[in-house]
C-alpha cells in the first residue's frame, strides 16, 4: 500500500500526464499510418527521454506502445489497410462495416474493446508478474542463461520468415553486442584501435537505424523515381460507442480473447498478429447461429471485437516476461526494456524488491495510457484520420529529422550517426533479401545477459559445462529449446514436401 | 540449373562473413580461448562457429533444391543512386547539427530536402513546412517534455 501511494505521487505530476498524452497521440498516429510502426515511434522517442525522470520516460514509452497497438485498427477499418500487423485480422469485417456505412460503430467498438482488453490483461499481468518473479528469484546464472537462450530461440523461430534466417539475424545481433569493451575483464574487442569504438554499438542507435532508416529510404526512393503513391482518401468520420447490450452480448467472447491474447503475448516472439488471427478464428468457429457465422468476413461486429480485444490483451501478456524475467517478446518491448535499463531499472525479480514504487508506477501508467488513448480516439478521431491524407515522403522528412537528431543527441557523437546509417542500410538490405530484422534487435538486447550469465556460471563451476544441465529448471529450458527448433525444422520439412507434391502435380 | 540461387548466395555470404569474423576474433581480441572456455574470446568465437554452421545449412538447402517462399528483390541502379543521395543528406545534416545546432540547421535541411531532393513546387511546403516542423519539435521536446536538442558549436 505504501508503494502504491508513492507510485501515485510519482505518476500524478504534470510532466507525466503530458508525457502519456504525447506518447498516446504519437502511438495512435504511427499505429494508424500504414508503413509506419509503433516500434519506430518508440525508437524515435527513446533518445529524447534521457533527460527525463525515469517514471516520466517509461510512461511516455508505454503510452506510445499502447496508442500504437490501438491505432492500427483505424486504418484497418477506414481504408482496409492495417496500420500494424496486429490489426490485419480486423480488416475483413472492419472495412466491410465501413463499406456498409457503419464505420463509426466499428471504430467505437474497436476502441472500447481495446480498452477493456487492455484493462483485464493488466490485472492478469500484475498477478502473473508477481507470481513468476517470486519463482524466478531462485534462478542462478545457469538457469538464467538457459532461460534467455530459450527466449532467444523462440524469438528467432517464430520470426516472420524462417528459423534459419531468423537465427542468422539473431546471431548477428549477438555479435554486434560483443563489439567494444568486455565488461568482465575490460579487454577491447573488434575496436580496430579506435577509442570511440570502446563504448560498443549503442543499442538505441541500432534500433533507430533498423526501424526508421529503411522506411525513409523506401519512401524517398519511390518519390525520386516518381513512383510515390497517392495519399488515402478518407471521409469525415466520428466514433460512435456501441450500446451496453452489444457489449454484454460479446462479454464472454471478450474474456476468452483476453485470455488468448495475454497468454500468446507472454510467449516471446509470438505477439499481436498471431493472437488477433486466432481470436478471429475462435470467434467465428464458436458462433452457434449459422446465419451469424455466415456474416463473418462480410461486416460482422464480432469480427472486430475478437481481434481488437486479443491484440490489446497482448500488451499485458508481453509485459509479463519483460518485467518478471527481463525477456522482451517483440521489438516494442525490447525498446521499452532499453528505456528501463537506461533509467536504471533493471527488469527481473530484483526489480520488485529494489524499485517497487516504480513498478507500481508502470502499472498505473498503463492504466492511464489506456484511458487517454480511449479519450483521444473517441473525441479526436476526425482530426486523427487527417494524418492518413499526408503524403508518405512528407512524413519521411519529419522522421529523418527525428532520426538524425535522436541518434546524434544520444552522446553528441558522429560515430553514432554513422552506426545508425550503417544499421539502416543493413535493415534495408535485409528487407530486400527477405531476412527478418527483429531478431537482430532482440539479439542485441539479450546479448549482454547471455554472455555475462554464461561466464558467471562457468566461473562458478570452474569451467565445467555440466552446470547448465545440473538443475531441473535448466533441463526444462534446454528441452524447450530443442523442442522449439525441432518443431520449426519439422514445419519446414512439411512445407518442402508440400512444395514438391505441388510441383509434381503441375508436371503431371 | 537450379530454380533459385538464393540459398547459394545467402550461404556463401553468411559463410564468408563467419570466416572474417572468426579471423577477427584472433586478431582483434587479446588473450586465448582459455582452458575453462571462459575468456572474452569465447562467446564471439562460438557465435562465429554458429554463423558458419548456418551458412552451411543454407548451402545444403541450395544443394537439395529448396526454393525460398519469399523471393529477394535485387537492388536497381536508380535505387542505389537514390540511397547515396539520402546518405549524403543524413551525413550533411549531422555535420550541420554539430556546428549550427538544431534550430538553425533543421529548417535549412528540411527546405533543401523538400525543394531540391523531393522536388516540391508548393511554396507553403517549401517555406512554411520547415519552420513549422522545427517549431513543433522544439515545442514538444523543449517546452512540454523539458528534454534537450543538439546545440551547435557556433550557435
Amino acid at each position: 500500500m505504501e508503494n502504491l501511494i508513492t507510485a501515485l505521487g510519482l505518476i500524478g505530476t504534470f510532466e507525466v500526464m503530458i508525457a502519456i498524452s504525447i506518447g498516446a497521440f504519437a502511438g495512435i498516429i504511427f499505429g494508424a499510418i500504414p508503413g509506419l510502426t509503433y516500434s519506430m515511434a518508440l525508437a524515435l522517442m527513446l533518445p529524447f527521454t534521457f533527460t527525463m525522470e525515469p517514471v516520466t520516460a517509461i510512461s511516455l514509452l508505454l503510452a506510445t506502445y499502447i496508442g500504437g497497438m490501438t491505432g492500427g485498427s483505424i486504418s484497418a477499418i477506414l481504408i482496409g489497410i492495417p496500420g500494424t500487423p496486429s490489426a490485419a485480422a480486423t480488416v475483413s469485417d472492419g472495412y466491410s462495416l465501413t463499406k456498409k456505412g457503419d464505420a463509426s460503430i466499428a471504430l467505437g467498438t474497436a476502441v472500447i474493446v481495446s480498452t477493456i482488453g487492455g484493462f483485464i490483461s493488466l490485472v492478469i499481468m500484475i498477478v502473473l508478474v508477481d507470481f513468476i518473479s517470486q519463482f524466478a528469484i531462485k534462478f542462478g546464472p545457469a538457469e538464467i542463461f538457459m532461460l534467455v537462450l530459450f527466449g532467444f530461440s523462440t524469438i528467432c523461430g517464430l520470426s516472420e520468415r524462417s528459423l534459419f534466417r531468423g537465427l542468422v539475424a539473431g546471431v548477428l545481433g549477438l555479435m554486434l553486442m560483443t563489439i567494444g569493451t568486455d565488461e568482465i575483464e575490460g579487454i577491447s574487442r573488434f575496436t580496430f584501435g579506435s577509442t570511440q569504438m570502446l563504448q560498443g554499438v549503442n543499442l538505441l542507435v541500432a534500433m533507430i537505424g533498423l526501424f526508421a532508416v529503411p522506411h525513409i529510404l523506401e519512401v524517398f526512393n519511390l518519390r525520386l523515381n516518381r513512383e510515390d503513391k497517392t495519399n488515402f482518401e478518407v471521409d469525415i468520420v466520428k466514433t460512435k460507442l456501441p450500446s451496453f447490450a452489444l457489449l454484454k452480448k460479446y462479454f464472454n467472447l471478450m474474456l476468452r480473447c483476453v485470455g488468448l491474447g495475454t497468454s500468446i503475448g507472454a510467449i516471446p516472439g509470438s505477439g499481436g498478429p498471431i493472437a488477433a488471427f486466432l481470436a478471429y478464428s475462435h470467434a467465428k468457429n464458436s458462433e452457434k447461429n449459422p446465419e451469424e457465422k455466415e456474416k463473418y468476413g462480410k461486416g460482422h461486429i464480432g469480427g472486430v471485437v475478437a481481434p481488437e480485444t486479443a491484440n490489446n490483451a497482448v500488451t499485458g501478456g508481453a509485459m509479463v516476461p519483460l518485467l518478471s524475467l527481463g525477456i522482451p517478446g517483440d521489438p516494442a518491448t525490447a525498446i521499452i526494456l532499453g528505456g528501463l535499463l537506461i533509467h536504471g531499472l533493471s527488469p527481473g525479480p530484483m526489480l520488485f524488491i529494489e524499485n517497487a514504487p516504480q513498478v507500481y508506477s508502470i502499472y498505473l501508467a498503463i492504466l492511464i495510457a489506456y484511458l487517454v488513448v480511449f479519450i483521444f480516439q473517441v473525441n479526436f478521431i476526425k482530426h486523427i484520420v487527417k494524418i492518413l491524407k499526408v503524403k508518405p515522403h512528407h512524413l519521411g522528412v519529419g522522421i529523418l529529422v527525428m532520426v538524425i537528431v535522436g541518434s546524434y543527441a544520444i552522446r553528441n557523437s558522429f560515430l553514432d550517426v554513422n552506426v545508425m546509417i550503417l544499421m539502416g542500410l543493413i535493415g534495408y538490405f535485409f528487407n530486400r533479401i527477405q531476412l527478418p530484422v527483429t531478431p537482430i534487435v532482440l539479439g542485441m538486447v539479450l546479448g549482454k545477459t547471455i554472455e555475462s550469465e554464461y561466464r558467471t556460471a562457468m566461473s562458478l563451476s570452474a569451467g565445467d559445462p555440466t552446470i547448465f544441465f545440473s538443475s531441473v529448471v535448466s533441463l526444462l529450458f534446454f528441452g524447450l529449446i530443442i523442442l522449439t527448433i525441432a518443431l520449426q525444422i519439422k514445419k519446414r520439412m512439411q512445407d518442402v514436401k508440400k512444395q514438391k507434391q505441388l510441383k509434381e502435380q503441375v508436371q503431371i | 540449373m537450379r530454380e533459385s540461387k538464393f540459398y547459394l548466395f545467402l550461404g556463401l555470404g553468411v559463410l564468408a562473413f563467419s570466416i572474417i569474423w572468426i579471423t577477427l576474433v584472433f586478431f582483434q581480441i587479446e588473450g586465448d580461448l582459455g582452458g575453462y572456455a571462459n575468456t572474452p574470446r569465447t562467446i564471439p568465437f562460438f557465435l562465429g562457429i554458429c554463423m558458419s554452421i548456418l551458412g552451411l545449412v543454407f548451402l545444403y538447402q541450395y544443394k537439395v533444391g529448396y526454393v525460398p517462399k519469399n523471393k529477394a528483390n535485387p537492388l536497381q541502379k536508380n535505387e542505389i543512386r537514390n540511397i547515396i543521395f539520402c546518405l549524403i543528406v543524413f551525413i550533411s545534416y549531422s555535420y550541420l547539427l554539430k556546428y549550427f545546432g538544431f534550430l538553425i540547421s533543421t529548417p535549412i535541411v528540411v527546405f533543401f530536402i523538400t525543394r531540391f531532393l523531393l522536388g516540391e513546387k508548393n511554396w507553403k511546403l517549401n517555406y512554411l513546412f520547415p519552420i513549422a516542423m522545427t517549431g513543433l519539435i522544439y515545442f514538444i521536446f523543449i517546452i512540454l517534455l523539458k528534454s534537450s536538442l543538439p546545440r551547435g558549436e557556433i550557435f
Side-chain angles (χ1 to χ4, degrees):
Chain A
M1 194 63 192
E2 195 184 310
N3 289 328
L4 187 65
I5 292 166
T6 316
L8 277 169
L10 289 170
I11 208 98
T13 63
F14 177 71
E15 278 83 13
V16 174
M17 292 303 145
I18 289 290
I20 291 177
S21 305
I22 291 172
F25 185 73
I28 294 171
I29 299 294
F30 273 72
I33 298 171
L36 303 187
T37 61
Y38 52 83
S39 303
M40 193 194 292
L42 283 164
L44 293 176
M45 287 279 186
L46 198 46
F48 299 99
T49 67
F50 282 8
T51 50
M52 293 178 192
E53 289 294 318
V55 172
T56 314
I58 302 305
S59 301
L60 177 77
L61 297 176
L62 288 169
T64 309
Y65 179 38
I66 289 161
M69 192 61 100
T70 316
S73 64
I74 296 174
S75 49
I77 291 168
L78 293 179
I79 56 174
I81 301 169
T84 57
S86 304
T90 313
V91 169
S92 57
D93 284 282
Y95 190 50
S96 300
L97 283 164
T98 299
K99 285 195 274 190
K100 284 182 187 172
D102 290 329
S104 301
I105 194 77
L107 281 171
T109 308
V111 172
I112 197 143
V113 297
S114 298
T115 312
I116 294 171
F119 278 172
I120 303 174
S121 82
L122 175 67
V123 175
I124 299 172
M125 176 193 109
I126 293 169
V127 176
L128 278 178
V129 162
D130 194 42
F131 174 76
I132 295 172
S133 298
Q134 283 176 16
F135 177 65
I137 205 158
K138 294 164 194 154
F139 287 2
E143 285 84 5
I144 297 172
F145 173 76
M146 280 295 185
L147 166 71
V148 178
L149 214 57
F150 164 61
F152 181 72
S153 65
T154 325
I155 291 156
C156 294
L158 295 178
S159 64
E160 65 262 43
R161 314 278 190 234
S162 75
L163 173 73
F164 296 120
R165 294 195 213 182
L167 280 173
V168 165
V171 172
L172 180 66
L174 292 174
M175 284 173 157
L176 289 171
M177 277 326 266
T178 63
I179 297 171
T181 309
D182 165 53
E183 282 183 359
I184 296 175
E185 293 183 25
I187 288 171
S188 65
R189 300 191 289 194
F190 309 108
T191 56
F192 296 92
S194 158
T195 46
Q196 279 190 306
M197 287 287 287
L198 287 172
Q199 293 177 330
V201 178
N202 188 290
L203 180 64
L204 281 183
V205 171
M207 285 197 282
I208 293 172
L210 284 170
F211 289 118
V213 174
H215 175 78
I216 299 170
L217 295 179
E218 205 170 301
V219 292
F220 279 16
N221 178 46
L222 287 173
R223 173 69 183 173
L224 287 166
N225 288 341
R226 299 288 180 256
E227 292 166 355
D228 50 332
K229 294 162 199 162
T230 49
N231 40 351
F232 301 111
E233 286 302 320
V234 188
D235 294 331
I236 295 168
V237 70
K238 277 186 179 177
T239 303
K240 188 179 170 190
L241 292 176
S243 64
F244 184 72
L246 189 133
L247 288 176
K248 200 177 161 191
K249 185 183 168 190
Y250 288 106
F251 191 69
N252 271 333
L253 175 67
M254 279 196 272
L255 284 182
R256 294 196 301 271
C257 292
V258 168
L260 192 75
T262 312
S263 44
I264 288 175
I267 302 168
S270 45
I274 297 173
F277 277 107
L278 283 178
Y280 181 85
S281 159
H282 167 72
K284 192 178 173 183
N285 293 333
S286 62
E287 180 61 65
K288 284 168 189 155
N289 185 339
E291 280 180 27
E292 290 283 313
K293 196 174 181 172
E294 192 64 25
K295 286 181 190 166
Y296 271 89
K298 295 167 191 162
H300 194 288
I301 201 72
V304 174
V305 171
E308 283 305 309
T309 312
N311 68 26
N312 280 277
V314 164
T315 54
M319 297 300 282
V320 174
L322 176 72
L323 292 177
S324 56
L325 304 168
I327 295 181
D330 56 18
T333 43
I335 299 167
I336 294 171
L337 173 62
L340 288 165
L341 293 172
I342 287 163
H343 290 283
L345 303 169
S346 185
M350 291 308 286
L351 181 69
F352 297 83
I353 296 163
E354 290 167 357
N355 302 94
Q358 279 78 7
V359 176
Y360 282 93
S361 306
I362 289 172
Y363 296 157
L364 290 170
I366 295 173
L367 186 78
I368 297 166
Y370 266 110
L371 282 174
V372 172
V373 168
F374 176 78
I375 292 166
F376 277 173
Q377 290 215 40
V378 170
N379 295 299
F380 305 120
I381 193 77
K382 65 178 176 185
H383 303 296
I384 291 169
V385 298
K386 282 180 188 162
I387 201 84
L388 291 172
K389 296 181 180 179
V390 179
K391 285 187 175 168
H393 61 267
H394 292 150
L395 288 169
V397 178
I399 295 168
L400 182 144
V401 171
M402 296 281 284
V403 157
I404 303 286
V405 172
S407 53
Y408 180 76
I410 291 170
R411 295 184 288 203
N412 283 345
S413 159
F414 278 106
L415 181 73
D416 284 344
V417 177
N418 293 333
V419 171
M420 183 272 295
I421 293 171
L422 184 69
M423 293 305 293
L425 287 175
I426 291 174
Y428 189 78
F429 184 65
F430 268 39
N431 284 340
R432 297 305 295 263
I433 61 166
Q434 306 292 333
L435 284 177
V437 292
T438 306
I440 301 180
V441 176
L442 296 158
M444 290 184 77
V445 170
L446 299 175
K448 285 223 187 303
T449 314
I450 287 181
E451 184 167 20
S452 66
E453 297 301 335
Y454 167 83
R455 293 187 62 186
T456 311
M458 288 295 270
S459 296
L460 287 173
S461 69
D464 181 7
T466 56
I467 190 170
F468 296 109
F469 309 98
S470 59
S471 75
V472 179
V473 176
S474 296
L475 283 171
L476 177 76
F477 287 127
F478 182 69
L480 288 170
I481 294 168
I482 300 294
L483 188 71
T484 310
I485 294 172
L487 284 174
Q488 287 297 316
I489 293 173
K490 193 184 164 195
K491 192 172 164 273
R492 177 70 185 146
M493 301 294 260
Q494 282 171 343
D495 285 349
V496 171
K497 210 176 168 184
K498 272 185 201 168
Q499 248 183 20
K500 275 189 180 168
Q501 279 172 349
L502 271 172
K503 215 191 284 175
E504 280 166 11
Q505 278 173 0
V506 169
Q507 280 170 353
I508 290 164
Chain B
M1 184 72 183
R2 303 220 181 260
E3 254 182 77
S4 165
K5 287 192 174 173
F6 174 78
Y7 283 118
L8 174 68
F9 291 127
L10 186 62
L12 288 175
V14 170
L15 207 56
F17 176 74
S18 65
I19 291 166
I20 295 167
W21 180 268
I22 292 169
T23 313
L24 287 175
V25 167
F26 290 99
F27 287 101
Q28 284 289 317
I29 306 174
E30 291 166 25
D32 53 25
L33 280 171
Y36 288 165
N38 188 13
T39 72
R41 268 184 183 169
T42 312
I43 292 285
F45 179 74
F46 177 72
L47 292 172
I49 296 293
C50 286
M51 203 55 124
S52 56
I53 292 170
L54 287 166
L56 292 173
V57 168
F58 290 130
L59 288 178
Y60 172 75
Q61 288 187 326
Y62 169 71
K63 196 183 164 220
V64 293
Y66 283 2
V67 179
K69 267 193 255 176
N70 308 297
K71 290 205 171 145
N73 307 311
L75 291 173
Q76 305 296 319
K77 209 175 173 183
N78 275 357
E79 196 178 356
I80 295 168
R81 184 202 63 193
N82 296 342
I83 289 172
I84 292 169
F85 280 152
C86 293
L87 297 185
I88 292 168
V89 171
F90 281 5
I91 294 166
S92 313
Y93 183 32
S94 63
Y95 270 95
L96 282 172
L97 276 177
K98 184 183 180 185
Y99 294 108
F100 298 102
F102 174 81
L103 277 177
I104 292 175
S105 53
T106 304
I108 295 169
V109 171
V110 175
F111 170 76
F112 174 81
I113 296 171
T114 47
R115 178 69 190 89
F116 298 107
L117 192 67
L118 302 177
E120 283 294 347
K121 299 280 188 297
N122 187 330
W123 71 270
K124 282 183 200 163
L125 276 170
N126 286 332
Y127 296 102
L128 295 184
F129 180 59
I131 296 165
M133 180 185 290
T134 311
L136 183 69
I137 293 174
Y138 186 85
F139 177 73
I140 291 173
F141 289 104
I142 301 293
I143 313 273
L144 284 180
L145 292 174
K146 310 265 186 289
S147 185
S148 63
L149 291 168
R151 286 179 177 213
E153 286 174 10
I154 299 171
F155 295 103

